[in-house]
Amino acid sequence: MLFLLLGGCAAASPAARGVPVPSAVPLPSVLSVRAVPVPMGWDRPGFDPGNTFFNPGETVLTAGSIGRLVKKWSVRLRVDKQSCPGQIDVGPPVVSGDHVVIGDHKGISVYAARTGLRQWAFQWDDFGEGLRPTLTITNRLVIAGYAECYSVSNSKSRLIAFDPTTGKPRWAQDGTPSVAYVVVDKGVAMASGWEDPSSVGLAAYSLANGEQIWSKPGHIATGVSAGGTVLAHEINVNEEVPETVAGVDITTGATRWTAKGTWYAEAASPAGDRLYASDEKGELAAFRVADGTIAWTAPPGPGDHGEWTMGSMSIATDGVRVYRSSDRTLEALDAPTGRLLWTYRMKTSSPQPVVAGGLVYVDGVALHADRGKVAYFGPALTGAVVVTGGRLFQVNGDTLSVYAPAQRPDRPALSPHP
């Protein structure tokens, strides 16, 4: 049974109800003009179906304003550290309009983007211990893909759609074959996962009603779509048969092209004409989406990669550069050629880079995207961040915080009225 949780009760304290605790912000000495709100949109884990982690529309948070960040609100998230050992991360969120949607170990919570007030919440009921859900906001729906903690291909998996305003479930696919990866594009939600060769599979479902459109047993794919083309990897039990990859139409399941090798998509270019994929050696290849040929390859990044897993490389791309986070080094590669442009040494291993407003956010710093030099560092950048609508949404531990740049003190503010 599905439960919708209301945001607290009358007798509970503000903190218990999930009400944000505003930070004290000094008031300006003169009346200032309120900037026109920038539409907020980071509605997929990697910003778009291509998993680019690049917001091309951000114009407020730039190198000129990042140093003036002030906290607007923060809330404590629902974390159960006894659930899913080693998988207690709860971020980052997805954002669309005034909805901030974030998954945790108890389910999903939705907050108002500008105030931090909780709008609704959903709990997984008796579904078992689970991984953080994969979330997407699209077509006036919140799509959540969920897998039970110790398996991504058994009956305890779920693909479910909610009304983003009320939290009312629209449709659900319980016991879907697999939901380790989910990508939503072209009116379709495609899920993929595995546990052993006999249970490998991927399937696509209609956003309109949740009905299955097509499936491909024996194939797996990551959550990346390049303009409607996904890179599906065929698993062959017979080791004498070479493994292959295929460019698959996400709407029909039809194969557009095939190529030899063990490649898994990490990201697509913003234009949708390239698929960036990694192999078991840690190499990175740029596939031409039109025909499946490889435009260039880059050798493994520096450092000890450890045990390789599908879709584990941290990639972002703005169409000019491809940013690869490997071990403790961030590399910027030329997108057309794969040539190394610059590197930045990090303190932590393989954090996810995020690109917006000419900056690359990674490992607690903001770098100039064109040259890799530090533009700003501070506690607001620690943890997982997304940047949209002039605001920085941060998940650090069990706390969701939102920051925005303050008015410049050296620039006199004008009255909004003559």
Side-chain angles (χ1 to χ4, degrees), residues 253-313:
T255 297
R256 293 176 170 173
W257 45 261
T258 60
K260 291 182 179 180
T262 307
W263 298 98
Y264 299 97
E266 305 286 354
S269 62
D273 59 348
R274 292 286 189 273
L275 273 166
Y276 301 108
S278 63
D279 68 1
E280 293 175 339
K281 296 178 291 185
E283 292 185 348
L284 182 67
F287 281 82
R288 298 182 181 92
V289 174
D291 57 12
T293 58
I294 295 178
W296 54 261
T297 59
D304 181 13
H305 303 285
E307 184 178 354
W308 179 91
T309 57
M310 183 178 85
S312 62
M313 189 178 292

Side-chain angles (χ1 to χ4, degrees), residues 350-370:
S350 303
Q352 175 62 56
V354 167
V355 187
L359 299 173
V360 181
Y361 297 83
V362 68
D363 195 33
V365 303
L367 306 174
H368 292 280
D370 58 349

Side-chain angles (χ1 to χ4, degrees), residues 72 82 90 98 142 239-240 243 245 290 302 334 336 348 363 403:
K72 309 301 288 187
Q82 301 302 315
V90 293
D98 196 39
V142 174
E239 296 181 357
E240 296 179 359
E243 294 184 339
V245 293
D334 181 60
T348 56
D363 195 33
Y403 296 81

Side-chain angles (χ1 to χ4, degrees), residues 19 30 47 50 72 89 131 199 210 243 249 254 271 282 299 312 341 351 355 385:
V19 176
V30 290
F47 180 77
K72 309 301 288 187
D89 58 314
L131 300 172
S199 64
E243 294 184 339
D249 187 320
S312 62
L341 299 175
V355 187
V385 303

Side-chain angles (χ1 to χ4, degrees), residues 80 96 107 120 133 145 148 156 171 200 234 245 279 337 370:
D80 181 2
S96 181
W120 56 269
E148 196 261 345
K156 286 190 174 181
W171 54 259
V200 170
E234 183 178 3
V245 293
D279 68 1
T337 66
D370 58 349

Side-chain angles (χ1 to χ4, degrees), residues 302 329-333 340-345 367 371-373:
T329 300
L330 178 69
E331 300 173 297
L333 309 176
L340 179 64
L341 299 175
W342 55 258
T343 63
Y344 173 77
R345 187 67 175 166
L367 306 174
R371 56 189 184 275
K373 302 300 181 182

